[in-house]
Amino acid sequence: MPQGGRFLSQVSTPGSSVVSSPKSLLGAGRIDPFRIYPLDANNTIPELFDHCKSFSLATRSSWRILWPGFSPESQMPAAWFRKAWERPIVMHALAFGAIVHMDVLRSPRLSLENPLRLFHKVQTMRLLKEEMKNPNQAVLDDVILAILTLSTNEVETVANNIKEKARSPFNSPLASIQWLDVYGCISHVKTHTAAMRSIIARRGGLENVELPGLAEVLFLSDVLGATQNLSKPHFPLLLAARDLPPLEIDRVLRFPLMKLGQAFESLSAFGVNERALGVLQTMVDLSMIIDGHTRGAKPIKDMASFILRRNAVQHSLTSLPSGEELEVGEVSSVCLYESIRHAAMIYSVAVTFPLPPLTGVFGKLSLALKGIMETSKFDPCWQLSPKTLLWILTLGGIAASGTDERAWYVQNLEAVSGALKLSDWRYVVVNIEEYLWLESACDNGGRSLWDEVLNDRFLQMGID
C-alpha cells in the first residue's frame, strides 16, 4: 500500500506555489490550464485530487480512499470528479476530506490550524447554507455528500484521539481497507449526521441516492458509527448486500481452522438464538477468507464483494438485539447471550471489521463486558459453560490492555483456567479456538495476557 508521506510534500500551502517551468505551468497534462477552480490561486485542487486518485492507481481500482474494491468499470470516480468540476460545493467538500485524510496520515503531528483545510471547510459550509435557502431546488445528492464530508472529517475529534496514541492489542488484518485505520479515528458529528439522515429520508432512503457509490459510502459510514458508539445502525442493509450469494468455503480455507466456531452450535437456545447463531457463522466464514488471504493460501480476488460482505456482516452484528430486547424465553441465559454478543463485537473490531485503538472502542467494550459479567457472576450459566467463559475472558482481557479493567480480567481468567486445570497457553488456545479466534491476529495479545495470569498465579502461590 502506498504511504501517505510522499504525497504530503506535494500539496501547496497558501503562498508557497512555485512555477519552475512552462511544463509545470501547464500541469504536464495533469492540470487543465484553461479550467478555473473557484478561489484556488495556488492550484491545490488538482493536487488534492491527485492524492485521492494515487491510492486507487496502486490497486487498479477506483478511488481507494472511499471504496477500494470498486471494479475498474465503476462509474464512481468519473461521476464524483465530474461533480467536483461542475459543482463548487462538491469540489470544496472533497478537497476538505482529502486534506483531513492527509493530516491524519501525518499524525501525531496533526495541526488544528491548517489554513487550507479551514478554507475548504468554511467554503463547504457557506455553499451548503446557500443550497439550503431553497431546499426544494437543492441537488440533494450533492448536499448529502457535503454533509457527510463535514460529519466524518471533524479533525478536532482526531486530534483528541491522537493525544494518547496507543498500540492495538491485536494484530488486525486488512486494517487499511477502506481506510478504517484512518476514518476509524474520527468521531462523527451528531448534528451533521442527524441532518444528513433527514435529507436521505427526503430522498426516499439510501436506495434512491443516485450519485454512483454514494449509497455504499453512506452505508459504510453508518456501520462505522454504530460500531464506534456500540449502537445499532440507522439504515437497513443495502439491497446489493442482501443479494450476495452464500459463501463457499473450500478445503484450502477450512482445513487450518476446522474447529473455528463449532462450539456456538452447542449454545443454541441457551446462550444464543437462531439470529445470533447465523451472524456468528458468517463471522467464522469471513475469518476463514481473511486467514486464507493473509497467509497467501487463497488471495481475495473480488475485493468489492468482500468489502460489501464484510460491511454487511458488521451491520448484522451491530443490529443484534440486546439482552433486554429479546423476547421472553428466546434464550435461557440472557447474561450469557449478552457476554457472547460483546465478545463477538471485540473480535469484530480486532479481526473482521478492524478499528484503531484511538477510537477507544476496545476500552468501551471491555468495560461493558466486565459490567455484564459482574452483575451475573452467580448465574449458573458460567458453571455450565466454563470454556465459553474462558473465551469471553480472554478476548475481554486482551481488549482491556492498558486499562484499569485489565487486572479484573487477569484475576478471573486465572481462576477459570485453574478450574479447568490449564497451565500452558497452548491448551488455552485448544479450548477457545472453537469459538471466534484467529491466531495471527489474537495470539500475541493472548500470550501477553497469559503471562500476567501466570504471574498472578505464582504470586498467590508465594512464588516470586
Side-chain angles (χ1 to χ4, degrees), residues 27-94:
R30 179 177 61 84
I31 301 175
D32 184 349
F34 304 105
R35 184 179 295 280
I36 299 175
Y37 303 101
L39 301 174
D40 186 45
N42 294 295
N43 286 330
T44 57
I45 294 297
E47 297 179 71
L48 290 173
F49 286 174
D50 272 358
H51 173 68
C52 297
K53 291 188 289 184
S54 57
F55 290 96
S56 66
L57 292 175
T59 58
R60 294 185 299 172
S61 60
S62 53
W63 216 344
R64 190 181 178 209
I65 286 178
L66 293 171
W67 197 260
F70 264 121
S71 56
E73 64 270 17
S74 167
Q75 299 178 25
M76 178 183 175
W80 285 43
F81 283 124
R82 185 165 57 249
K83 276 282 187 181
W85 305 145
E86 296 172 353
R87 298 274 290 160
I89 187 173
V90 176
M91 183 205 71
H92 286 293
L94 294 182

Side-chain angles (χ1 to χ4, degrees), residues 21 27 35 104 108-109 139 146 190 235 253 255 297-298 314 322 339 355 388 415 435 449 456:
S21 71
R35 184 179 295 280
V104 174
R109 296 184 295 107
V139 182
K190 293 182 180 179
F235 300 112
L253 297 176
F255 181 75
K298 190 171 183 180
Q314 190 66 15
S322 66
S339 299
L355 296 186
T388 308
Y435 297 89
L449 175 66
D456 188 69

Side-chain angles (χ1 to χ4, degrees), residues 144-156:
I144 292 169
L145 176 56
I147 299 177
L148 172 68
T149 307
L150 292 172
S151 174
T152 58
N153 288 282
E154 191 57 61
V155 74
E156 284 76 10

Side-chain angles (χ1 to χ4, degrees), residues 188 190 192-202 204-206 218-227 229 231-238 242 314-316 318-319:
H188 296 180
K190 293 182 180 179
H192 292 324
T193 301
M196 181 179 66
R197 289 174 178 175
S198 176
I199 296 174
I200 292 172
R202 284 180 52 194
L206 287 184
L218 290 164
F219 179 76
L220 168 64
S221 176
D222 188 40
V223 173
L224 176 57
T227 305
N229 297 317
S231 59
K232 289 183 172 57
H234 177 78
F235 300 112
L237 268 178
L238 290 172
R242 297 177 196 173
Q314 190 66 15
H315 182 280
S316 298
T318 52
S319 297

Side-chain angles (χ1 to χ4, degrees), residues 2-20:
Q3 299 299 313
R6 65 174 168 177
F7 301 112
L8 305 182
S9 60
Q10 298 176 3
V11 178
S12 306
T13 55
S16 65
S17 180
V18 176
V19 177
S20 56

